[in-house]
């Protein structure tokens, strides 16, 4: 397991009881470097959406737990937030909840001179993701997908 994966997994372990006690679920945890700064981001959610108080309560408790566990030697910025409307679908549980919704898929390499596709998410398995785009099914191999997220409809 990479350093990033280890930090994310350990953080999720610490976050699990905190999320449960605050009535939220863990959507995702990520540890990333942007510019010269490291960020530890925890995304939380609940059926009626999270608010600033939810984020604040979880952030304070998680910050204390991380200070006590002290397993990340680098300086980092902790952020706790909602995954947002155009949330990235990284895990199977995210895809499962999004069946029937419109998604945007960005590929690493173009297919038919196109790297971006939008359609209704209809199915997925360990190897593929299938959408319906303009009435036609289109299946993508997961390793070809750079990003899949919900579309934002204004």
């Amino acid at each position: 397991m990479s350093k990033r994966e280890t930090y994310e997994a350990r953080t999720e372990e610490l976050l699990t009881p905190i999320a449960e006690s605050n009535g939220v679920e863990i959507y995702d945890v990520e540890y990333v470097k942007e510019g010269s700064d490291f960020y530890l981001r925890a995304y939380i959610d609940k059926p009626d959406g999270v608010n600033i108080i939810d984020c604040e309560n979880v952030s304070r408790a998680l910050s204390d737990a991380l200070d006590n566990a002290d397993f990340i030697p680098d300086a980092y910025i902790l952020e706790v937030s909602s995954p947002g409307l155009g949330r990235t679908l990284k895990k199977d549980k995210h895809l499962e909840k999004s069946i029937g919704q419109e998604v945007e898929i960005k590929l690493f390499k173009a297919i038919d001179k196109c790297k971006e596709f939008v359609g209704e998410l209809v199915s997925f398995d360990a190897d593929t993701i299938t959408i319906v785009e303009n009435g036609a099914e289109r299946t993508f191999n997961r390793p070809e997908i750079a990003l899949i997220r919900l579309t934002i409809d204004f």
Side-chain angles (χ1 to χ4, degrees), residues 60-88:
R60 288 179 193 273
L62 180 58
S63 180
D64 290 346
L66 288 164
D67 287 346
N68 289 334
D70 197 27
F71 60 88
I72 302 175
D74 307 309
Y76 61 88
I77 299 164
L78 175 63
E79 294 179 350
V80 176
S81 69
S82 160
L85 295 175
R87 59 190 61 193
T88 302

PDB file of all heavy atoms in Angstrom, residues 60-88:
ATOM      1  N   ARG A  60     -13.586  19.190  13.856  1.00  0.00           N
ATOM      2  CA  ARG A  60     -12.962  19.343  15.188  1.00  0.00           C
ATOM      3  C   ARG A  60     -12.618  17.984  15.793  1.00  0.00           C
ATOM      4  O   ARG A  60     -11.515  17.783  16.300  1.00  0.00           O
ATOM      5  CB  ARG A  60     -13.888  20.116  16.120  1.00  0.00           C
ATOM      6  CG  ARG A  60     -14.001  21.581  15.794  1.00  0.00           C
ATOM      7  CD  ARG A  60     -14.968  22.289  16.751  1.00  0.00           C
ATOM      8  NE  ARG A  60     -15.335  23.603  16.296  1.00  0.00           N
ATOM      9  CZ  ARG A  60     -14.657  24.706  16.555  1.00  0.00           C
ATOM     10  NH1 ARG A  60     -13.560  24.642  17.271  1.00  0.00           N
ATOM     11  NH2 ARG A  60     -15.067  25.863  16.094  1.00  0.00           N
ATOM     12  N   ALA A  61     -13.553  17.057  15.721  1.00  0.00           N
ATOM     13  CA  ALA A  61     -13.315  15.731  16.303  1.00  0.00           C
ATOM     14  C   ALA A  61     -12.224  14.977  15.527  1.00  0.00           C
ATOM     15  O   ALA A  61     -11.363  14.323  16.127  1.00  0.00           O
ATOM     16  CB  ALA A  61     -14.612  14.929  16.318  1.00  0.00           C
ATOM     17  N   LEU A  62     -12.248  15.075  14.207  1.00  0.00           N
ATOM     18  CA  LEU A  62     -11.239  14.401  13.396  1.00  0.00           C
ATOM     19  C   LEU A  62      -9.860  15.012  13.633  1.00  0.00           C
ATOM     20  O   LEU A  62      -8.862  14.285  13.734  1.00  0.00           O
ATOM     21  CB  LEU A  62     -11.608  14.447  11.912  1.00  0.00           C
ATOM     22  CG  LEU A  62     -10.621  13.779  10.954  1.00  0.00           C
ATOM     23  CD1 LEU A  62     -10.405  12.302  11.309  1.00  0.00           C
ATOM     24  CD2 LEU A  62     -11.113  13.915   9.510  1.00  0.00           C
ATOM     25  N   SER A  63      -9.783  16.318  13.734  1.00  0.00           N
ATOM     26  CA  SER A  63      -8.512  16.983  13.996  1.00  0.00           C
ATOM     27  C   SER A  63      -7.894  16.482  15.299  1.00  0.00           C
ATOM     28  O   SER A  63      -6.703  16.166  15.358  1.00  0.00           O
ATOM     29  CB  SER A  63      -8.709  18.500  14.045  1.00  0.00           C
ATOM     30  OG  SER A  63      -7.476  19.139  14.305  1.00  0.00           O
ATOM     31  N   ASP A  64      -8.711  16.375  16.343  1.00  0.00           N
ATOM     32  CA  ASP A  64      -8.228  15.866  17.635  1.00  0.00           C
ATOM     33  C   ASP A  64      -7.753  14.421  17.507  1.00  0.00           C
ATOM     34  O   ASP A  64      -6.700  14.049  18.034  1.00  0.00           O
ATOM     35  CB  ASP A  64      -9.319  15.956  18.698  1.00  0.00           C
ATOM     36  CG  ASP A  64      -9.628  17.396  19.102  1.00  0.00           C
ATOM     37  OD1 ASP A  64      -8.832  18.305  18.770  1.00  0.00           O
ATOM     38  OD2 ASP A  64     -10.690  17.603  19.738  1.00  0.00           O
ATOM     39  N   ALA A  65      -8.534  13.595  16.798  1.00  0.00           N
ATOM     40  CA  ALA A  65      -8.171  12.180  16.626  1.00  0.00           C
ATOM     41  C   ALA A  65      -6.866  12.045  15.836  1.00  0.00           C
ATOM     42  O   ALA A  65      -6.014  11.214  16.161  1.00  0.00           O
ATOM     43  CB  ALA A  65      -9.302  11.423  15.932  1.00  0.00           C
ATOM     44  N   LEU A  66      -6.709  12.859  14.804  1.00  0.00           N
ATOM     45  CA  LEU A  66      -5.480  12.826  14.006  1.00  0.00           C
ATOM     46  C   LEU A  66      -4.277  13.292  14.834  1.00  0.00           C
ATOM     47  O   LEU A  66      -3.188  12.711  14.728  1.00  0.00           O
ATOM     48  CB  LEU A  66      -5.630  13.700  12.757  1.00  0.00           C
ATOM     49  CG  LEU A  66      -6.538  13.152  11.667  1.00  0.00           C
ATOM     50  CD1 LEU A  66      -6.921  14.252  10.679  1.00  0.00           C
ATOM     51  CD2 LEU A  66      -5.873  11.980  10.949  1.00  0.00           C
ATOM     52  N   ASP A  67      -4.465  14.309  15.661  1.00  0.00           N
ATOM     53  CA  ASP A  67      -3.380  14.780  16.528  1.00  0.00           C
ATOM     54  C   ASP A  67      -2.949  13.679  17.496  1.00  0.00           C
ATOM     55  O   ASP A  67      -1.757  13.481  17.740  1.00  0.00           O
ATOM     56  CB  ASP A  67      -3.796  16.026  17.313  1.00  0.00           C
ATOM     57  CG  ASP A  67      -3.867  17.276  16.449  1.00  0.00           C
ATOM     58  OD1 ASP A  67      -3.355  17.255  15.310  1.00  0.00           O
ATOM     59  OD2 ASP A  67      -4.455  18.277  16.919  1.00  0.00           O
ATOM     60  N   ASN A  68      -3.919  12.957  18.049  1.00  0.00           N
ATOM     61  CA  ASN A  68      -3.608  11.876  18.989  1.00  0.00           C
ATOM     62  C   ASN A  68      -2.915  10.706  18.294  1.00  0.00           C
ATOM     63  O   ASN A  68      -1.987  10.111  18.832  1.00  0.00           O
ATOM     64  CB  ASN A  68      -4.873  11.384  19.701  1.00  0.00           C
ATOM     65  CG  ASN A  68      -5.396  12.397  20.692  1.00  0.00           C
ATOM     66  OD1 ASN A  68      -4.647  13.213  21.219  1.00  0.00           O
ATOM     67  ND2 ASN A  68      -6.694  12.355  20.952  1.00  0.00           N
ATOM     68  N   ALA A  69      -3.378  10.352  17.099  1.00  0.00           N
ATOM     69  CA  ALA A  69      -2.802   9.210  16.371  1.00  0.00           C
ATOM     70  C   ALA A  69      -1.441   9.574  15.779  1.00  0.00           C
ATOM     71  O   ALA A  69      -0.542   8.727  15.718  1.00  0.00           O
ATOM     72  CB  ALA A  69      -3.758   8.755  15.276  1.00  0.00           C
ATOM     73  N   ASP A  70      -1.292  10.801  15.316  1.00  0.00           N
ATOM     74  CA  ASP A  70      -0.034  11.363  14.827  1.00  0.00           C
ATOM     75  C   ASP A  70       0.729  10.428  13.874  1.00  0.00           C
ATOM     76  O   ASP A  70       1.908  10.163  14.064  1.00  0.00           O
ATOM     77  CB  ASP A  70       0.854  11.750  16.015  1.00  0.00           C
ATOM     78  CG  ASP A  70       1.973  12.700  15.602  1.00  0.00           C
ATOM     79  OD1 ASP A  70       1.800  13.435  14.609  1.00  0.00           O
ATOM     80  OD2 ASP A  70       3.024  12.695  16.277  1.00  0.00           O
ATOM     81  N   PHE A  71       0.066   9.956  12.831  1.00  0.00           N
ATOM     82  CA  PHE A  71       0.704   9.036  11.887  1.00  0.00           C
ATOM     83  C   PHE A  71       1.103   9.697  10.563  1.00  0.00           C
ATOM     84  O   PHE A  71       1.700   9.050   9.715  1.00  0.00           O
ATOM     85  CB  PHE A  71      -0.197   7.823  11.607  1.00  0.00           C
ATOM     86  CG  PHE A  71      -1.531   8.159  11.019  1.00  0.00           C
ATOM     87  CD1 PHE A  71      -1.692   8.276   9.654  1.00  0.00           C
ATOM     88  CD2 PHE A  71      -2.633   8.366  11.843  1.00  0.00           C
ATOM     89  CE1 PHE A  71      -2.928   8.595   9.105  1.00  0.00           C
ATOM     90  CE2 PHE A  71      -3.873   8.674  11.299  1.00  0.00           C
ATOM     91  CZ  PHE A  71      -4.016   8.787   9.925  1.00  0.00           C
ATOM     92  N   ILE A  72       0.794  10.972  10.388  1.00  0.00           N
ATOM     93  CA  ILE A  72       1.189  11.683   9.164  1.00  0.00           C
ATOM     94  C   ILE A  72       2.307  12.660   9.535  1.00  0.00           C
ATOM     95  O   ILE A  72       2.054  13.672  10.187  1.00  0.00           O
ATOM     96  CB  ILE A  72      -0.010  12.423   8.529  1.00  0.00           C
ATOM     97  CG1 ILE A  72      -1.148  11.449   8.214  1.00  0.00           C
ATOM     98  CG2 ILE A  72       0.435  13.169   7.266  1.00  0.00           C
ATOM     99  CD1 ILE A  72      -2.418  12.105   7.686  1.00  0.00           C
ATOM    100  N   PRO A  73       3.556  12.355   9.116  1.00  0.00           N
ATOM    101  CA  PRO A  73       4.674  13.222   9.513  1.00  0.00           C
ATOM    102  C   PRO A  73       4.715  14.564   8.780  1.00  0.00           C
ATOM    103  O   PRO A  73       5.269  15.527   9.302  1.00  0.00           O
ATOM    104  CB  PRO A  73       5.908  12.381   9.171  1.00  0.00           C
ATOM    105  CG  PRO A  73       5.446  11.452   8.097  1.00  0.00           C
ATOM    106  CD  PRO A  73       3.997  11.186   8.368  1.00  0.00           C
ATOM    107  N   ASP A  74       4.118  14.630   7.594  1.00  0.00           N
ATOM    108  CA  ASP A  74       4.126  15.869   6.816  1.00  0.00           C
ATOM    109  C   ASP A  74       3.127  16.871   7.388  1.00  0.00           C
ATOM    110  O   ASP A  74       2.123  16.496   7.972  1.00  0.00           O
ATOM    111  CB  ASP A  74       3.717  15.589   5.359  1.00  0.00           C
ATOM    112  CG  ASP A  74       4.536  14.492   4.717  1.00  0.00           C
ATOM    113  OD1 ASP A  74       5.776  14.565   4.785  1.00  0.00           O
ATOM    114  OD2 ASP A  74       3.931  13.554   4.160  1.00  0.00           O
ATOM    115  N   ALA A  75       3.409  18.153   7.175  1.00  0.00           N
ATOM    116  CA  ALA A  75       2.413  19.184   7.487  1.00  0.00           C
ATOM    117  C   ALA A  75       1.327  19.087   6.419  1.00  0.00           C
ATOM    118  O   ALA A  75       1.617  18.875   5.241  1.00  0.00           O
ATOM    119  CB  ALA A  75       3.048  20.561   7.465  1.00  0.00           C
ATOM    120  N   TYR A  76       0.064  19.197   6.828  1.00  0.00           N
ATOM    121  CA  TYR A  76      -1.046  19.109   5.872  1.00  0.00           C
ATOM    122  C   TYR A  76      -2.182  20.007   6.323  1.00  0.00           C
ATOM    123  O   TYR A  76      -2.244  20.432   7.478  1.00  0.00           O
ATOM    124  CB  TYR A  76      -1.542  17.659   5.729  1.00  0.00           C
ATOM    125  CG  TYR A  76      -2.063  17.067   7.019  1.00  0.00           C
ATOM    126  CD1 TYR A  76      -3.395  17.213   7.395  1.00  0.00           C
ATOM    127  CD2 TYR A  76      -1.210  16.379   7.877  1.00  0.00           C
ATOM    128  CE1 TYR A  76      -3.864  16.689   8.588  1.00  0.00           C
ATOM    129  CE2 TYR A  76      -1.672  15.849   9.063  1.00  0.00           C
ATOM    130  CZ  TYR A  76      -2.998  16.004   9.417  1.00  0.00           C
ATOM    131  OH  TYR A  76      -3.456  15.490  10.603  1.00  0.00           O
ATOM    132  N   ILE A  77      -3.068  20.273   5.402  1.00  0.00           N
ATOM    133  CA  ILE A  77      -4.262  21.066   5.669  1.00  0.00           C
ATOM    134  C   ILE A  77      -5.440  20.105   5.702  1.00  0.00           C
ATOM    135  O   ILE A  77      -5.662  19.345   4.751  1.00  0.00           O
ATOM    136  CB  ILE A  77      -4.457  22.137   4.581  1.00  0.00           C
ATOM    137  CG1 ILE A  77      -3.253  23.095   4.572  1.00  0.00           C
ATOM    138  CG2 ILE A  77      -5.778  22.890   4.775  1.00  0.00           C
ATOM    139  CD1 ILE A  77      -3.136  23.936   3.325  1.00  0.00           C
ATOM    140  N   LEU A  78      -6.202  20.115   6.788  1.00  0.00           N
ATOM    141  CA  LEU A  78      -7.374  19.256   6.925  1.00  0.00           C
ATOM    142  C   LEU A  78      -8.598  20.008   6.417  1.00  0.00           C
ATOM    143  O   LEU A  78      -8.843  21.143   6.814  1.00  0.00           O
ATOM    144  CB  LEU A  78      -7.588  18.854   8.381  1.00  0.00           C
ATOM    145  CG  LEU A  78      -8.855  18.051   8.683  1.00  0.00           C
ATOM    146  CD1 LEU A  78      -8.831  16.699   7.966  1.00  0.00           C
ATOM    147  CD2 LEU A  78      -9.019  17.866  10.194  1.00  0.00           C
ATOM    148  N   GLU A  79      -9.349  19.360   5.547  1.00  0.00           N
ATOM    149  CA  GLU A  79     -10.613  19.919   5.061  1.00  0.00           C
ATOM    150  C   GLU A  79     -11.705  18.877   5.222  1.00  0.00           C
ATOM    151  O   GLU A  79     -11.503  17.708   4.865  1.00  0.00           O
ATOM    152  CB  GLU A  79     -10.510  20.290   3.571  1.00  0.00           C
ATOM    153  CG  GLU A  79      -9.549  21.399   3.267  1.00  0.00           C
ATOM    154  CD  GLU A  79      -9.462  21.728   1.782  1.00  0.00           C
ATOM    155  OE1 GLU A  79     -10.002  20.972   0.949  1.00  0.00           O
ATOM    156  OE2 GLU A  79      -8.839  22.745   1.448  1.00  0.00           O
ATOM    157  N   VAL A  80     -12.841  19.286   5.734  1.00  0.00           N
ATOM    158  CA  VAL A  80     -14.017  18.420   5.832  1.00  0.00           C
ATOM    159  C   VAL A  80     -15.140  19.142   5.108  1.00  0.00           C
ATOM    160  O   VAL A  80     -15.445  20.294   5.414  1.00  0.00           O
ATOM    161  CB  VAL A  80     -14.407  18.133   7.300  1.00  0.00           C
ATOM    162  CG1 VAL A  80     -15.691  17.321   7.361  1.00  0.00           C
ATOM    163  CG2 VAL A  80     -13.279  17.417   8.032  1.00  0.00           C
ATOM    164  N   SER A  81     -15.750  18.455   4.133  1.00  0.00           N
ATOM    165  CA  SER A  81     -16.798  19.108   3.350  1.00  0.00           C
ATOM    166  C   SER A  81     -17.746  18.081   2.751  1.00  0.00           C
ATOM    167  O   SER A  81     -17.527  16.876   2.827  1.00  0.00           O
ATOM    168  CB  SER A  81     -16.186  19.950   2.237  1.00  0.00           C
ATOM    169  OG  SER A  81     -15.588  19.124   1.259  1.00  0.00           O
ATOM    170  N   SER A  82     -18.777  18.612   2.109  1.00  0.00           N
ATOM    171  CA  SER A  82     -19.690  17.803   1.313  1.00  0.00           C
ATOM    172  C   SER A  82     -18.985  17.425   0.015  1.00  0.00           C
ATOM    173  O   SER A  82     -18.135  18.186  -0.459  1.00  0.00           O
ATOM    174  CB  SER A  82     -20.934  18.635   0.993  1.00  0.00           C
ATOM    175  OG  SER A  82     -21.624  18.113  -0.105  1.00  0.00           O
ATOM    176  N   PRO A  83     -19.339  16.296  -0.591  1.00  0.00           N
ATOM    177  CA  PRO A  83     -18.744  15.969  -1.895  1.00  0.00           C
ATOM    178  C   PRO A  83     -19.252  16.873  -3.015  1.00  0.00           C
ATOM    179  O   PRO A  83     -18.699  16.870  -4.107  1.00  0.00           O
ATOM    180  CB  PRO A  83     -19.135  14.513  -2.126  1.00  0.00           C
ATOM    181  CG  PRO A  83     -20.292  14.261  -1.236  1.00  0.00           C
ATOM    182  CD  PRO A  83     -20.171  15.219  -0.088  1.00  0.00           C
ATOM    183  N   GLY A  84     -20.292  17.643  -2.763  1.00  0.00           N
ATOM    184  CA  GLY A  84     -20.795  18.601  -3.749  1.00  0.00           C
ATOM    185  C   GLY A  84     -21.749  17.991  -4.754  1.00  0.00           C
ATOM    186  O   GLY A  84     -21.945  16.779  -4.819  1.00  0.00           O
ATOM    187  N   LEU A  85     -22.342  18.845  -5.576  1.00  0.00           N
ATOM    188  CA  LEU A  85     -23.316  18.396  -6.573  1.00  0.00           C
ATOM    189  C   LEU A  85     -22.673  17.596  -7.692  1.00  0.00           C
ATOM    190  O   LEU A  85     -23.198  16.587  -8.129  1.00  0.00           O
ATOM    191  CB  LEU A  85     -24.060  19.601  -7.159  1.00  0.00           C
ATOM    192  CG  LEU A  85     -24.939  20.395  -6.204  1.00  0.00           C
ATOM    193  CD1 LEU A  85     -25.514  21.618  -6.900  1.00  0.00           C
ATOM    194  CD2 LEU A  85     -26.046  19.523  -5.653  1.00  0.00           C
ATOM    195  N   GLY A  86     -21.540  18.059  -8.169  1.00  0.00           N
ATOM    196  CA  GLY A  86     -20.838  17.374  -9.257  1.00  0.00           C
ATOM    197  C   GLY A  86     -19.820  16.402  -8.721  1.00  0.00           C
ATOM    198  O   GLY A  86     -18.689  16.349  -9.179  1.00  0.00           O
ATOM    199  N   ARG A  87     -20.237  15.604  -7.757  1.00  0.00           N
ATOM    200  CA  ARG A  87     -19.325  14.715  -7.038  1.00  0.00           C
ATOM    201  C   ARG A  87     -18.683  13.670  -7.936  1.00  0.00           C
ATOM    202  O   ARG A  87     -19.302  13.134  -8.841  1.00  0.00           O
ATOM    203  CB  ARG A  87     -20.040  14.049  -5.870  1.00  0.00           C
ATOM    204  CG  ARG A  87     -21.238  13.227  -6.265  1.00  0.00           C
ATOM    205  CD  ARG A  87     -22.058  12.770  -5.077  1.00  0.00           C
ATOM    206  NE  ARG A  87     -22.564  13.915  -4.344  1.00  0.00           N
ATOM    207  CZ  ARG A  87     -23.094  13.852  -3.139  1.00  0.00           C
ATOM    208  NH1 ARG A  87     -23.231  12.708  -2.529  1.00  0.00           N
ATOM    209  NH2 ARG A  87     -23.527  14.932  -2.551  1.00  0.00           N
ATOM    210  N   THR A  88     -17.433  13.397  -7.647  1.00  0.00           N
ATOM    211  CA  THR A  88     -16.689  12.359  -8.350  1.00  0.00           C
ATOM    212  C   THR A  88     -17.148  11.002  -7.851  1.00  0.00           C
ATOM    213  O   THR A  88     -17.347  10.807  -6.654  1.00  0.00           O
ATOM    214  CB  THR A  88     -15.176  12.542  -8.093  1.00  0.00           C
ATOM    215  OG1 THR A  88     -14.800  13.850  -8.524  1.00  0.00           O
ATOM    216  CG2 THR A  88     -14.369  11.517  -8.850  1.00  0.00           C
TER     217      THR A  88
END
